[in-house]
PDB file of all heavy atoms in Angstrom:
ATOM      1  N   GLN A  18       2.932 -13.434  -1.493  1.00  0.00           N
ATOM      2  CA  GLN A  18       1.483 -13.606  -1.339  1.00  0.00           C
ATOM      3  C   GLN A  18       0.817 -12.356  -1.919  1.00  0.00           C
ATOM      4  O   GLN A  18      -0.210 -12.433  -2.549  1.00  0.00           O
ATOM      5  CB  GLN A  18       1.145 -13.750   0.174  1.00  0.00           C
ATOM      6  CG  GLN A  18       1.659 -14.977   0.867  1.00  0.00           C
ATOM      7  CD  GLN A  18       3.018 -14.735   1.398  1.00  0.00           C
ATOM      8  OE1 GLN A  18       3.760 -13.799   1.115  1.00  0.00           O
ATOM      9  NE2 GLN A  18       3.532 -15.680   2.196  1.00  0.00           N
ATOM     10  N   ASN A  19       1.420 -11.179  -1.705  1.00  0.00           N
ATOM     11  CA  ASN A  19       0.730 -10.017  -2.266  1.00  0.00           C
ATOM     12  C   ASN A  19       0.920  -9.879  -3.727  1.00  0.00           C
ATOM     13  O   ASN A  19      -0.042  -9.489  -4.391  1.00  0.00           O
ATOM     14  CB  ASN A  19       1.367  -8.743  -1.629  1.00  0.00           C
ATOM     15  CG  ASN A  19       0.794  -8.624  -0.169  1.00  0.00           C
ATOM     16  OD1 ASN A  19      -0.175  -9.214   0.198  1.00  0.00           O
ATOM     17  ND2 ASN A  19       1.351  -7.680   0.569  1.00  0.00           N
ATOM     18  N   VAL A  20       2.022 -10.255  -4.275  1.00  0.00           N
ATOM     19  CA  VAL A  20       2.258 -10.246  -5.716  1.00  0.00           C
ATOM     20  C   VAL A  20       1.299 -11.235  -6.440  1.00  0.00           C
ATOM     21  O   VAL A  20       0.671 -10.899  -7.441  1.00  0.00           O
ATOM     22  CB  VAL A  20       3.635 -10.561  -6.076  1.00  0.00           C
ATOM     23  CG1 VAL A  20       3.890 -10.792  -7.642  1.00  0.00           C
ATOM     24  CG2 VAL A  20       4.637  -9.437  -5.653  1.00  0.00           C
ATOM     25  N   ALA A  21       1.023 -12.369  -5.767  1.00  0.00           N
ATOM     26  CA  ALA A  21       0.087 -13.339  -6.288  1.00  0.00           C
ATOM     27  C   ALA A  21      -1.332 -12.832  -6.418  1.00  0.00           C
ATOM     28  O   ALA A  21      -2.089 -13.285  -7.258  1.00  0.00           O
ATOM     29  CB  ALA A  21       0.089 -14.561  -5.440  1.00  0.00           C
ATOM     30  N   ARG A  22      -1.645 -11.782  -5.728  1.00  0.00           N
ATOM     31  CA  ARG A  22      -3.009 -11.240  -5.694  1.00  0.00           C
ATOM     32  C   ARG A  22      -3.125 -10.124  -6.822  1.00  0.00           C
ATOM     33  O   ARG A  22      -4.225  -9.545  -7.029  1.00  0.00           O
ATOM     34  CB  ARG A  22      -3.355 -10.626  -4.414  1.00  0.00           C
ATOM     35  CG  ARG A  22      -3.502 -11.740  -3.459  1.00  0.00           C
ATOM     36  CD  ARG A  22      -3.770 -11.232  -1.952  1.00  0.00           C
ATOM     37  NE  ARG A  22      -5.090 -10.615  -1.938  1.00  0.00           N
ATOM     38  CZ  ARG A  22      -5.448  -9.720  -0.972  1.00  0.00           C
ATOM     39  NH1 ARG A  22      -4.607  -9.457  -0.003  1.00  0.00           N
ATOM     40  NH2 ARG A  22      -6.675  -9.219  -1.036  1.00  0.00           N
ATOM     41  N   ASN A  23      -2.103  -9.783  -7.528  1.00  0.00           N
ATOM     42  CA  ASN A  23      -2.141  -8.656  -8.454  1.00  0.00           C
ATOM     43  C   ASN A  23      -3.117  -8.874  -9.514  1.00  0.00           C
ATOM     44  O   ASN A  23      -3.914  -7.924  -9.978  1.00  0.00           O
ATOM     45  CB  ASN A  23      -0.763  -8.466  -9.143  1.00  0.00           C
ATOM     46  CG  ASN A  23       0.271  -7.830  -8.193  1.00  0.00           C
ATOM     47  OD1 ASN A  23      -0.067  -7.267  -7.237  1.00  0.00           O
ATOM     48  ND2 ASN A  23       1.532  -7.782  -8.640  1.00  0.00           N
ATOM     49  N   ASP A  24      -3.227 -10.095 -10.102  1.00  0.00           N
ATOM     50  CA  ASP A  24      -4.191 -10.375 -11.185  1.00  0.00           C
ATOM     51  C   ASP A  24      -5.660 -10.078 -10.732  1.00  0.00           C
ATOM     52  O   ASP A  24      -6.484  -9.719 -11.541  1.00  0.00           O
ATOM     53  CB  ASP A  24      -4.081 -11.742 -11.707  1.00  0.00           C
ATOM     54  CG  ASP A  24      -2.820 -12.052 -12.496  1.00  0.00           C
ATOM     55  OD1 ASP A  24      -2.221 -11.001 -12.947  1.00  0.00           O
ATOM     56  OD2 ASP A  24      -2.391 -13.166 -12.663  1.00  0.00           O
ATOM     57  N   ALA A  25      -5.999 -10.368  -9.506  1.00  0.00           N
ATOM     58  CA  ALA A  25      -7.344 -10.174  -9.019  1.00  0.00           C
ATOM     59  C   ALA A  25      -7.560  -8.659  -8.568  1.00  0.00           C
ATOM     60  O   ALA A  25      -8.642  -8.217  -8.702  1.00  0.00           O
ATOM     61  CB  ALA A  25      -7.641 -11.043  -7.860  1.00  0.00           C
ATOM     62  N   ARG A  26      -6.585  -8.028  -8.190  1.00  0.00           N
ATOM     63  CA  ARG A  26      -6.721  -6.683  -7.697  1.00  0.00           C
ATOM     64  C   ARG A  26      -6.363  -5.537  -8.674  1.00  0.00           C
ATOM     65  O   ARG A  26      -6.743  -4.307  -8.400  1.00  0.00           O
ATOM     66  CB  ARG A  26      -5.871  -6.481  -6.468  1.00  0.00           C
ATOM     67  CG  ARG A  26      -6.381  -7.488  -5.344  1.00  0.00           C
ATOM     68  CD  ARG A  26      -5.809  -7.161  -4.004  1.00  0.00           C
ATOM     69  NE  ARG A  26      -6.606  -6.107  -3.425  1.00  0.00           N
ATOM     70  CZ  ARG A  26      -6.380  -5.615  -2.188  1.00  0.00           C
ATOM     71  NH1 ARG A  26      -5.413  -6.071  -1.480  1.00  0.00           N
ATOM     72  NH2 ARG A  26      -7.129  -4.663  -1.686  1.00  0.00           N
ATOM     73  N   HIS A  27      -5.678  -5.835  -9.699  1.00  0.00           N
ATOM     74  CA  HIS A  27      -5.424  -4.831 -10.784  1.00  0.00           C
ATOM     75  C   HIS A  27      -4.825  -3.486 -10.171  1.00  0.00           C
ATOM     76  O   HIS A  27      -5.354  -2.409 -10.419  1.00  0.00           O
ATOM     77  CB  HIS A  27      -6.673  -4.457 -11.598  1.00  0.00           C
ATOM     78  CG  HIS A  27      -7.278  -5.754 -12.115  1.00  0.00           C
ATOM     79  ND1 HIS A  27      -6.780  -6.441 -13.169  1.00  0.00           N
ATOM     80  CD2 HIS A  27      -8.377  -6.440 -11.714  1.00  0.00           C
ATOM     81  CE1 HIS A  27      -7.680  -7.496 -13.412  1.00  0.00           C
ATOM     82  NE2 HIS A  27      -8.514  -7.517 -12.511  1.00  0.00           N
ATOM     83  N   PRO A  28      -3.678  -3.616  -9.527  1.00  0.00           N
ATOM     84  CA  PRO A  28      -3.127  -2.417  -8.796  1.00  0.00           C
ATOM     85  C   PRO A  28      -2.804  -1.230  -9.802  1.00  0.00           C
ATOM     86  O   PRO A  28      -3.047  -0.073  -9.394  1.00  0.00           O
ATOM     87  CB  PRO A  28      -1.896  -2.909  -8.043  1.00  0.00           C
ATOM     88  CG  PRO A  28      -1.526  -4.119  -8.778  1.00  0.00           C
ATOM     89  CD  PRO A  28      -2.810  -4.696  -9.319  1.00  0.00           C
ATOM     90  N   VAL A  29      -2.182  -1.471 -10.843  1.00  0.00           N
ATOM     91  CA  VAL A  29      -1.829  -0.433 -11.719  1.00  0.00           C
ATOM     92  C   VAL A  29      -3.053   0.275 -12.231  1.00  0.00           C
ATOM     93  O   VAL A  29      -3.100   1.548 -12.302  1.00  0.00           O
ATOM     94  CB  VAL A  29      -0.898  -0.892 -12.940  1.00  0.00           C
ATOM     95  CG1 VAL A  29      -0.703   0.187 -13.963  1.00  0.00           C
ATOM     96  CG2 VAL A  29       0.357  -1.465 -12.446  1.00  0.00           C
ATOM     97  N   GLU A  30      -4.039  -0.457 -12.736  1.00  0.00           N
ATOM     98  CA  GLU A  30      -5.201   0.126 -13.262  1.00  0.00           C
ATOM     99  C   GLU A  30      -5.931   0.905 -12.215  1.00  0.00           C
ATOM    100  O   GLU A  30      -6.475   2.017 -12.415  1.00  0.00           O
ATOM    101  CB  GLU A  30      -6.127  -0.949 -13.830  1.00  0.00           C
ATOM    102  CG  GLU A  30      -5.603  -1.752 -15.078  1.00  0.00           C
ATOM    103  CD  GLU A  30      -4.633  -2.825 -14.737  1.00  0.00           C
ATOM    104  OE1 GLU A  30      -4.220  -3.019 -13.540  1.00  0.00           O
ATOM    105  OE2 GLU A  30      -4.387  -3.634 -15.661  1.00  0.00           O
ATOM    106  N   THR A  31      -6.031   0.313 -10.942  1.00  0.00           N
ATOM    107  CA  THR A  31      -6.696   0.992  -9.849  1.00  0.00           C
ATOM    108  C   THR A  31      -6.053   2.354  -9.531  1.00  0.00           C
ATOM    109  O   THR A  31      -6.656   3.384  -9.383  1.00  0.00           O
ATOM    110  CB  THR A  31      -6.792   0.087  -8.624  1.00  0.00           C
ATOM    111  OG1 THR A  31      -7.481  -1.090  -9.025  1.00  0.00           O
ATOM    112  CG2 THR A  31      -7.470   0.780  -7.460  1.00  0.00           C
ATOM    113  N   LEU A  32      -4.744   2.272  -9.293  1.00  0.00           N
ATOM    114  CA  LEU A  32      -4.053   3.476  -8.889  1.00  0.00           C
ATOM    115  C   LEU A  32      -4.100   4.549 -10.019  1.00  0.00           C
ATOM    116  O   LEU A  32      -4.052   5.787  -9.753  1.00  0.00           O
ATOM    117  CB  LEU A  32      -2.696   3.220  -8.410  1.00  0.00           C
ATOM    118  CG  LEU A  32      -2.657   2.266  -7.097  1.00  0.00           C
ATOM    119  CD1 LEU A  32      -1.253   1.776  -6.845  1.00  0.00           C
ATOM    120  CD2 LEU A  32      -3.205   3.115  -5.953  1.00  0.00           C
ATOM    121  N   THR A  33      -3.985   4.083 -11.229  1.00  0.00           N
ATOM    122  CA  THR A  33      -4.025   5.073 -12.356  1.00  0.00           C
ATOM    123  C   THR A  33      -5.417   5.700 -12.429  1.00  0.00           C
ATOM    124  O   THR A  33      -5.569   6.895 -12.616  1.00  0.00           O
ATOM    125  CB  THR A  33      -3.766   4.325 -13.696  1.00  0.00           C
ATOM    126  OG1 THR A  33      -2.414   3.757 -13.616  1.00  0.00           O
ATOM    127  CG2 THR A  33      -3.818   5.238 -14.873  1.00  0.00           C
ATOM    128  N   PHE A  34      -6.506   4.874 -12.198  1.00  0.00           N
ATOM    129  CA  PHE A  34      -7.877   5.395 -12.161  1.00  0.00           C
ATOM    130  C   PHE A  34      -8.016   6.490 -11.144  1.00  0.00           C
ATOM    131  O   PHE A  34      -8.686   7.502 -11.375  1.00  0.00           O
ATOM    132  CB  PHE A  34      -8.838   4.295 -11.890  1.00  0.00           C
ATOM    133  CG  PHE A  34     -10.239   4.707 -11.631  1.00  0.00           C
ATOM    134  CD1 PHE A  34     -10.977   5.054 -12.707  1.00  0.00           C
ATOM    135  CD2 PHE A  34     -10.787   4.887 -10.390  1.00  0.00           C
ATOM    136  CE1 PHE A  34     -12.376   5.554 -12.521  1.00  0.00           C
ATOM    137  CE2 PHE A  34     -12.026   5.351 -10.131  1.00  0.00           C
ATOM    138  CZ  PHE A  34     -12.904   5.591 -11.238  1.00  0.00           C
ATOM    139  N   PHE A  35      -7.384   6.341  -9.972  1.00  0.00           N
ATOM    140  CA  PHE A  35      -7.437   7.348  -8.880  1.00  0.00           C
ATOM    141  C   PHE A  35      -6.496   8.514  -9.161  1.00  0.00           C
ATOM    142  O   PHE A  35      -6.527   9.484  -8.442  1.00  0.00           O
ATOM    143  CB  PHE A  35      -7.130   6.759  -7.579  1.00  0.00           C
ATOM    144  CG  PHE A  35      -8.266   5.973  -6.983  1.00  0.00           C
ATOM    145  CD1 PHE A  35      -8.171   4.543  -6.808  1.00  0.00           C
ATOM    146  CD2 PHE A  35      -9.517   6.490  -6.763  1.00  0.00           C
ATOM    147  CE1 PHE A  35      -9.144   3.786  -6.265  1.00  0.00           C
ATOM    148  CE2 PHE A  35     -10.564   5.732  -6.175  1.00  0.00           C
ATOM    149  CZ  PHE A  35     -10.383   4.484  -6.008  1.00  0.00           C
ATOM    150  N   GLY A  36      -5.769   8.503 -10.252  1.00  0.00           N
ATOM    151  CA  GLY A  36      -4.985   9.683 -10.648  1.00  0.00           C
ATOM    152  C   GLY A  36      -3.656   9.792  -9.820  1.00  0.00           C
ATOM    153  O   GLY A  36      -2.958  10.826  -9.760  1.00  0.00           O
ATOM    154  N   LEU A  37      -3.174   8.628  -9.298  1.00  0.00           N
ATOM    155  CA  LEU A  37      -1.981   8.711  -8.442  1.00  0.00           C
ATOM    156  C   LEU A  37      -0.749   9.200  -9.277  1.00  0.00           C
ATOM    157  O   LEU A  37      -0.489   8.758 -10.383  1.00  0.00           O
ATOM    158  CB  LEU A  37      -1.574   7.254  -7.970  1.00  0.00           C
ATOM    159  CG  LEU A  37      -0.428   7.209  -7.102  1.00  0.00           C
ATOM    160  CD1 LEU A  37      -0.597   7.895  -5.734  1.00  0.00           C
ATOM    161  CD2 LEU A  37      -0.037   5.748  -6.772  1.00  0.00           C
ATOM    162  N   GLN A  38      -0.042  10.113  -8.615  1.00  0.00           N
ATOM    163  CA  GLN A  38       1.169  10.772  -9.283  1.00  0.00           C
ATOM    164  C   GLN A  38       2.275  10.640  -8.126  1.00  0.00           C
ATOM    165  O   GLN A  38       1.979  10.772  -6.968  1.00  0.00           O
ATOM    166  CB  GLN A  38       0.947  12.157  -9.613  1.00  0.00           C
ATOM    167  CG  GLN A  38      -0.054  12.385 -10.689  1.00  0.00           C
ATOM    168  CD  GLN A  38       0.321  11.731 -12.047  1.00  0.00           C
ATOM    169  OE1 GLN A  38       1.441  11.941 -12.472  1.00  0.00           O
ATOM    170  NE2 GLN A  38      -0.576  11.044 -12.652  1.00  0.00           N
ATOM    171  N   PRO A  39       3.510  10.564  -8.616  1.00  0.00           N
ATOM    172  CA  PRO A  39       4.549  10.355  -7.595  1.00  0.00           C
ATOM    173  C   PRO A  39       4.909  11.598  -6.678  1.00  0.00           C
ATOM    174  O   PRO A  39       5.594  11.443  -5.758  1.00  0.00           O
ATOM    175  CB  PRO A  39       5.847  10.051  -8.468  1.00  0.00           C
ATOM    176  CG  PRO A  39       5.486  10.537  -9.827  1.00  0.00           C
ATOM    177  CD  PRO A  39       3.992  10.551 -10.000  1.00  0.00           C
ATOM    178  N   ASP A  40       4.293  12.696  -6.991  1.00  0.00           N
ATOM    179  CA  ASP A  40       4.429  13.811  -6.173  1.00  0.00           C
ATOM    180  C   ASP A  40       3.339  14.209  -5.150  1.00  0.00           C
ATOM    181  O   ASP A  40       3.236  15.249  -4.580  1.00  0.00           O
ATOM    182  CB  ASP A  40       4.847  15.168  -6.929  1.00  0.00           C
ATOM    183  CG  ASP A  40       3.751  15.547  -7.976  1.00  0.00           C
ATOM    184  OD1 ASP A  40       2.790  14.684  -8.148  1.00  0.00           O
ATOM    185  OD2 ASP A  40       3.835  16.565  -8.525  1.00  0.00           O
ATOM    186  N   MET A  41       2.416  13.263  -5.026  1.00  0.00           N
ATOM    187  CA  MET A  41       1.209  13.460  -4.305  1.00  0.00           C
ATOM    188  C   MET A  41       1.432  13.151  -2.858  1.00  0.00           C
ATOM    189  O   MET A  41       2.377  12.420  -2.516  1.00  0.00           O
ATOM    190  CB  MET A  41       0.026  12.530  -4.815  1.00  0.00           C
ATOM    191  CG  MET A  41      -0.514  12.950  -6.053  1.00  0.00           C
ATOM    192  SD  MET A  41      -1.850  11.802  -6.521  1.00  0.00           S
ATOM    193  CE  MET A  41      -3.003  12.904  -7.335  1.00  0.00           C
ATOM    194  N   THR A  42       0.539  13.631  -1.985  1.00  0.00           N
ATOM    195  CA  THR A  42       0.442  13.293  -0.576  1.00  0.00           C
ATOM    196  C   THR A  42      -0.822  12.330  -0.525  1.00  0.00           C
ATOM    197  O   THR A  42      -1.898  12.752  -0.952  1.00  0.00           O
ATOM    198  CB  THR A  42       0.225  14.462   0.328  1.00  0.00           C
ATOM    199  OG1 THR A  42       1.396  15.319   0.191  1.00  0.00           O
ATOM    200  CG2 THR A  42       0.057  14.066   1.786  1.00  0.00           C
TER     201      THR A  42
END
Side-chain angles (χ1 to χ4, degrees):
Q18 297 87 347
N19 285 348
V20 171
R22 296 176 65 198
N23 285 349
D24 287 342
R26 297 194 81 178
H27 308 283
V29 173
E30 295 86 347
T31 301
L32 294 170
T33 301
F34 172 80
F35 284 117
L37 182 68
Q38 297 296 316
D40 61 347
M41 288 181 146
T42 297

